[in-house]
Amino acid sequence: MVLSVAFLAPSAGRVQAAPSVAFLAHQAVYDLSLKTSRGNASVNSARGRILYNFAGSACEGYTTEFRQVSQLETGEDKTTTSDLRSTSWEDADGKSYRFKIETRMNEADVTSVDGVAERDGKTIKVKLKQPTVKTFTIDDAVFPTEQVKLIIEAARAGKSLLELTVYDGSDDGEKVYNTLTVIGQPIPGTKAPATPDAATGNEKFKSLTRWPVTVSYYDRAAQSKSGEQTPVYAMSFELYEDGVSRALVLDYNDFVIAGAMGKIEIKETKPCK
């Protein structure tokens, strides 16, 4: 998950850990609310919902469907509504990634990004169909599901920091992020959180370890030009060892959105033949 992420070295350094991550096929709903409004931000309230649908296996790859609808109320009773929808498929070995993203702000026309990315060694070749037909390459990056896998492997290995370059097809399809992940101490599934939710109330998760995780996303192009260290945005959450996330916090610098898991549905995963 949106959504989209200890790191040993910049870019796609691999952390060796066993056993391999077994992702849980599931559908989760997160209810959004305003947590903080900072500085000169005029965000008075926020509400919305995230629907996250994850399926697949190590043999057939992973499919993610994501939708986030948000309403922000600002000064002078102005309301901004955003509707983000994305679907993607990622090869289990992190070699191939297909994505389609649609965004609508208020009543404006939908903007679309559609493309495929293929890895060859340390180079990723991206072919965009939308918003414009274009082909370009990226050096040494990972895709979103592999990013989560590496975070879990690092957490299991007791690492607290991890740096990765991530490509997820967002923005105009050409955005590449440098990410810094901070991993906290493991939390046993039997330890109840201050605020229970659909995951902590499910018996399946009481046998699983989770970790508090914060991933900060930096625009690689902007950083290389100016040395700017301020993240574009950051995500905090508690990450279970099967890839499920709870207690979301989305930090957009001027304001912060909290996402509480209201519902989770566990799905069957077809065994590899």
Side-chain angles (χ1 to χ4, degrees), residues 4 9 13 54 83 104 108 111 125 128 137 141 146 155 195-196 208 233 255:
S4 352
F54 182 89
D83 187 347
R104 181 193 294 272
T111 59
K125 185 176 183 179
L128 291 179
T137 59
E146 186 175 14
T195 306
L208 299 178
Y233 67 96
F255 60 95

Side-chain angles (χ1 to χ4, degrees), residues 49-68:
R49 181 167 288 180
I50 290 174
L51 174 64
Y52 181 81
N53 193 357
F54 182 89
S57 66
C59 50
E60 62 184 17
Y62 302 105
T63 300
T64 301
E65 297 177 348
F66 176 93
R67 185 178 183 186
Q68 178 176 340

Side-chain angles (χ1 to χ4, degrees), residues 11-250:
S11 301
R14 300 297 188 266
V15 178
Q16 299 300 319
S20 179
V21 176
F23 286 111
L24 179 70
H26 68 285
Q27 179 174 287
V29 176
Y30 301 88
D31 297 313
L32 306 180
S33 61
L34 180 65
K35 182 178 177 68
T36 306
S37 183
R38 299 192 182 110
N40 296 323
S42 58
V43 178
N44 299 322
S45 68
R47 61 176 179 166
R49 181 167 288 180
I50 290 174
L51 174 64
Y52 181 81
N53 193 357
F54 182 89
S57 66
C59 50
E60 62 184 17
Y62 302 105
T63 300
T64 301
E65 297 177 348
F66 176 93
R67 185 178 183 186
Q68 178 176 340
V69 178
S70 305
Q71 284 189 334
L72 299 180
E73 294 185 6
T74 56
E76 300 179 354
D77 297 324
K78 182 180 179 180
T79 299
T80 301
T81 301
S82 63
D83 187 347
L84 169 66
R85 309 182 190 204
S86 72
T87 59
S88 65
W89 175 86
E90 185 175 332
D91 174 71
D93 293 328
K95 295 180 179 179
S96 182
Y97 178 60
R98 298 195 298 265
F99 54 93
K100 186 172 184 178
I101 304 168
E102 295 182 343
T103 306
R104 181 193 294 272
M105 295 292 290
N106 292 331
E107 299 303 318
D109 292 338
V110 172
T111 59
S112 299
V113 179
D114 188 355
V116 61
E118 303 283 348
R119 181 191 307 282
D120 183 7
K122 290 188 175 182
T123 300
I124 293 174
K125 185 176 183 179
V126 180
K127 294 182 179 179
L128 291 179
K129 298 178 182 178
Q130 290 182 305
T132 58
V133 176
K134 187 172 185 178
T135 299
F136 59 94
T137 59
I138 301 168
D139 293 331
D140 211 10
V142 300
F143 302 130
T145 302
E146 186 175 14
Q147 177 193 13
V148 175
K149 176 184 175 182
L150 291 172
I151 292 173
I152 294 172
E153 289 179 344
R156 285 175 170 172
K159 308 299 181 181
S160 60
L161 293 174
L162 179 62
E163 289 182 286
L164 295 171
T165 298
V166 176
Y167 178 76
D168 60 8
S170 62
D171 200 43
D172 59 357
E174 298 182 50
K175 186 78 72 177
V176 181
Y177 291 103
N178 289 335
T179 69
L180 173 65
T181 299
V182 178
I183 305 170
Q185 293 298 310
I187 304 170
T190 53
K191 183 176 180 179
T195 306
D197 59 21
T200 58
N202 190 309
E203 288 296 323
K204 179 177 180 60
F205 294 95
K206 292 183 179 179
S207 62
L208 299 178
T209 298
R210 64 188 191 271
W211 295 267
V213 172
T214 298
V215 186
S216 298
Y217 289 78
Y218 302 83
D219 183 342
R220 187 171 71 169
Q223 188 175 24
S224 63
K225 293 177 182 177
S226 64
E228 177 62 56
Q229 296 298 310
T230 301
V232 177
Y233 67 96
M235 296 177 58
S236 298
F237 47 92
E238 289 186 357
L239 178 63
Y240 284 95
E241 55 188 314
D242 60 2
V244 173
S245 297
R246 68 170 299 274
L248 305 182
V249 177
L250 311 176

